């Protein structure tokens, strides 16, 4: 029997996605609110600094937080660390970092802090809406090739470090993780491994669960940090 489709701004099997917007510029917050609400999302609050974001995240329990990196009182990186630490047991929030500059020096730190990716503040409305939906489902926010470029530039050159973390993966899962970290999409992974996309998605889901990762972006970071893949390799 065919199941009814979820509303455009909703999570599968639930109500509208709940989004918190944290940025020290009122016009940016207002613009994002208009775009999100017009797409069916519920904006549960606006924060002008990291401390406010932390308080609102605890009170409202949003599905996704749009977090500016540079804010007064408490910056977005520290707010991200604290929000994710507080919600770790529930694993119920995703954070998208907002930045003004491509390859901002803080981007890798944001990913390492647990953010699910980043967006430039001049993002198109369509991309913003798609990004919120993607991260809530645990998918990659950034194009894999962009994620790889970021990690290659900012990740510590610590090949082999923490390799035991990957011991829980099967040989096939290690293969999938290695290709994912090199920038392949699900469709490209399926073609490279002669698998269906559904099977690839199952492998990715198992990798995330075994390694206790929030999303594919963190999986890419871990692949580089453990030396499974190396910059330029």
């Amino acid at each position: 029997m065919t199941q009814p489709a979820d509303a455009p701004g909703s999570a599968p099997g639930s109500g509208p996605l709940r989004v918190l917007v944290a940025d020290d510029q009122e016009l940016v917050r207002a613009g994002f609110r208009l775009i999100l609400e017009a797409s069916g999302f519920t904006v549960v609050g606006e924060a002008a600094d990291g401390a406010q974001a932390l308080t609102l995240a605890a009170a409202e329990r949003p599905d996704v937080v749009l977090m500016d990196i540079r804010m007064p009182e408490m910056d977005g990186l520290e707010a991200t660390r604290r929000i994710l630490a507080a919600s770790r047991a529930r694993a119920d929030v995703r954070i998208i970092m907002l930045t003004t500059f491509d390859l901002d020096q803080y981007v890798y730190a944001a990913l390492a802090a647990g953010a699910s990716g980043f967006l430039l503040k001049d993002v198109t409305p369509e991309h913003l809406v798609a990004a919120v939906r993607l991260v809530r489902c645990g998918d990659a926010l950034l194009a894999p090739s962009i994620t790889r470029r970021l990690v290659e530039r900012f990740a510590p050159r610590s090949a082999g470090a923490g390799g035991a973390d990957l011991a829980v993966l099967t040989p096939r899962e290690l293969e999938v993780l290695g290709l994912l970290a090199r920038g392949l999409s699900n469709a490209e992974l399926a073609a490279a491994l002669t698998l269906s996309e559904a099977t690839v998605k199952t492998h990715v889901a198992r990798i995330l669960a075994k390694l206790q990762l929030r999303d594919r972006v963190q999986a890419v970071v871990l692949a580089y940090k453990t030396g499974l893949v190396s910059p330029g390799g």
Side-chain angles (χ1 to χ4, degrees):
M1 179 177 178
T2 302
Q3 297 296 323
D6 294 295
S10 66
S14 67
L17 283 174
R18 296 162 52 80
V19 184
L20 171 64
V21 180
D23 194 287
D24 60 352
Q25 299 180 50
E26 185 175 356
L27 286 176
V28 172
R29 298 196 307 270
F32 282 174
R33 175 186 281 274
L34 286 173
I35 294 168
L36 294 168
E37 290 182 340
S39 299
F41 300 112
T42 297
V43 177
V44 298
E46 297 180 22
D49 57 56
Q52 289 182 12
L54 186 60
T55 299
L56 283 171
E60 300 295 341
R61 295 182 63 172
D63 299 304
V64 177
V65 180
L66 296 177
M67 180 82 73
D68 187 15
I69 290 181
R70 299 174 181 175
M71 291 186 291
E73 302 299 327
M74 181 190 297
D75 67 23
L77 292 176
E78 182 60 25
T80 293
R81 293 187 190 99
R82 296 192 187 190
I83 289 172
L84 294 179
S87 69
R88 188 164 292 137
R90 302 190 306 270
D92 60 354
V93 63
R94 302 289 188 270
I95 297 182
I96 300 173
M97 305 303 296
L98 302 172
T99 181
T100 304
F101 305 104
D102 188 17
L103 288 181
D104 187 294
Q105 62 178 318
Y106 298 114
V107 166
Y108 180 73
L111 298 179
S116 295
F118 82 103
L119 288 174
L120 298 179
K121 287 189 181 182
D122 61 358
V123 62
T124 65
E126 295 78 12
H127 192 180
L128 175 65
V129 169
V132 172
R133 292 196 184 110
L134 282 172
V135 298
R136 190 64 192 103
C137 295
D139 208 339
L141 165 59
L142 307 173
S145 59
I146 298 176
T147 303
R148 179 182 59 182
R149 181 163 57 98
L150 288 168
V151 175
E152 287 183 352
R153 176 164 177 172
F154 293 108
R157 302 305 193 254
S158 54
D165 292 341
L166 303 183
V168 297
L169 301 182
T170 66
R172 174 63 92 181
E173 288 165 350
L174 281 171
E175 188 176 17
V176 170
L177 178 57
L179 293 174
L180 186 156
R182 291 184 172 91
L184 274 67
S185 65
N186 280 349
E188 291 168 336
L189 280 167
L193 299 173
T194 319
L195 299 171
S196 69
E197 285 195 50
T199 300
V200 167
K201 289 180 181 179
T202 298
H203 281 310
V204 172
R206 288 176 178 167
I207 290 168
L208 298 181
K210 287 184 176 181
L211 298 178
Q212 298 183 338
L213 301 174
R214 289 176 178 271
D215 51 42
R216 294 166 63 115
V217 173
Q218 287 194 328
V220 173
V221 172
L222 183 63
Y224 279 91
K225 291 182 70 173
T226 58
L228 179 65
V229 293
S230 58

